Amino acid sequence: MSQNVRVRFAPSPTGKLHIGGARTAIYNWAFARANGGTFILRIDDTDPTRSTEENTQIILRAMRWLGLDWDEGPEVGGAAGPYAQTERLPLYREAAERLLAEGKAYPCFCTPEELEADRRAAKERKDPFQGYQRRCRNIPADEARARMEAGEPYTIRIKVPEDRGDVVINDAVHGTVTFAAKELDDFVIFRSDGTPTYNFATVVDDAAMGITHVIRGDDHLSNTPRQVMVYEALGAPVPVFAHISMILGTDGKKLSKRHGATSVEEYRDAGYLSDAFVNYLSLLGWSLDGETTIIPRDVLASRFSLDRISKNPATFDPKKLDWMNAEYINAMTNDEFIEKLLLPALVQQGLMDADPAVGVDGAWMDKLAAIVKPRTKLAGDIAGICAPIFATASSLVYDEKSVAKGLAKDGMGTILDAARVALGTLPADEWEAAKIDAALEPLPDALELKKRVVFQAVRVAVCGNLVSPPLGETMELIGRDDCMARIERARTMAL
Ligand code: GLU
């Protein structure tokens, strides 16, 4: 790309960062990185009733967790700052004054009642032009100035040139989009309370910040012709627009909380990995080649392109996100898994000492990681998988359903008796997964029972449930004495 790419993500801090906003941020970031450009974060906080500093902080934290580093913006600064709209109010005022002075905007003194009456009349006479009826457009400049100075309330409207014609946008996603001239009225750029409207503030900022590409949700496509009017009035180049599709839930309806889609931080807290989350979201409307699903961050940051964004709505499928998260966890080395997920989860659950140097047997940990990692979809799964291993014969919690199904049935006491004898022949220094399995192996034949029945009974006795990791490995990690004690305890539950 010959031009020096500058893009921005401009969230309004009226809420937390959600899936849709996060995807917009990812696309802007990736596009900047792929083109050696600049990624700007701007806080669009001009709505004072709904914007909060707390939400701004939540958004910044979420951006950091997503790993979307910004080159200019809050905390890092930059030559085009400040980067919060509330700190830029004088700039909007200045720009509006300039347009007023140049006759490209004008004060409008219409009262809400007059506007309403005009609207109704236009509707009744089926006027092809239903917008603002331009009552104040031709008030002579000196009269208008006098009324403003006398304190009469006014808004400022942009003066759409008489001969402007249709507005044609060449959107990088949607292609050519034409907005009919009759849709364009002299819209308000400054309210009577002295605050700028979104369409004005955004364009003043995008122009001042030298934004070359506006990548945002296609709910903003309908704002674009008005924004083009502002660029033209300001004499600023119109950027490339790329309006990205909506995200739908698996039921085909617009994504919302009903679909379990929550804020980015809730995904973080639920144990999703940032890399997996970013990878999954990047595919909601974009593809590398139409088939690759695992796209590491560095590949996204070098290969992202606007021409592979789809026009069609994307579907957010939590199951696919879980699958992707599990893929990323599985692709970790054991050491990485131990350091990033296993130890923190164990410490958090109070199963291990907070000081990782205390009481960690490297070989034991490695074996634990080997059985826990392939079973972890979310970091939050780890504690549950590990709990039976870290329990003791007296503290182990037996799952009622598992006991009813695998232990509390006629004849199962004999399984545990036989298991105790078989395992009792294994000396402590030979308490290894393969040998444990080998000791249990002959039991089904000897007892004339199905293999599944025998192993289930031992599994419930030792782990308290039916779904634990491979039995031999788990029993090795628990240790001989505790396994024997657990079987002893479980014997009272077996019939
Ligand atoms: N603050 C606007 C929003 O959050 C930004 C829209 C835009 O990118 O122009 O929707």
Side-chain angles (χ1 to χ4, degrees), residues 427-438:
D429 61 353
E430 288 183 35
W431 191 257
E432 293 156 17
K435 291 190 175 160
I436 296 167
D437 285 336

Side-chain angles (χ1 to χ4, degrees), residues 8-14 21 24 28 42-46 85 198-199 202-203 206 214-217 219-220 223 227 241 243:
R8 74 346 183 238
F9 173 55
S12 301
T14 52
T24 302
N28 277 285
R42 185 177 75 221
I43 303 299
D44 279 5
D45 54 356
T46 40
Q85 289 195 321
Y198 155 70
N199 281 321
T202 291
V203 174
D206 287 344
V214 170
I215 307 167
R216 61 184 173 193
D219 48 331
H220 285 294
N223 287 320
Q227 296 187 5
F241 290 102
H243 285 96

Side-chain angles (χ1 to χ4, degrees), residues 387-461:
I389 297 171
F390 282 80
T392 62
S394 54
S395 72
L396 180 69
V397 178
Y398 282 89
D399 169 58
E400 260 177 54
K401 279 196 191 129
S402 300
V403 170
K405 194 164 170 220
L407 209 52
K409 284 188 183 155
D410 267 348
M412 292 198 172
T414 55
I415 300 177
L416 295 190
D417 292 338
R420 197 162 36 177
V421 172
L423 293 168
T425 63
L426 263 186
D429 61 353
E430 288 183 35
W431 191 257
E432 293 156 17
K435 291 190 175 160
I436 296 167
D437 285 336
L440 295 173
E441 204 57 42
L443 294 191
D445 278 351
L447 298 167
E448 292 182 358
L449 288 168
K450 282 195 185 120
K451 189 175 174 193
R452 185 176 50 82
V453 173
V454 171
F455 279 81
Q456 267 188 4
V458 179
R459 181 183 293 279
V460 177

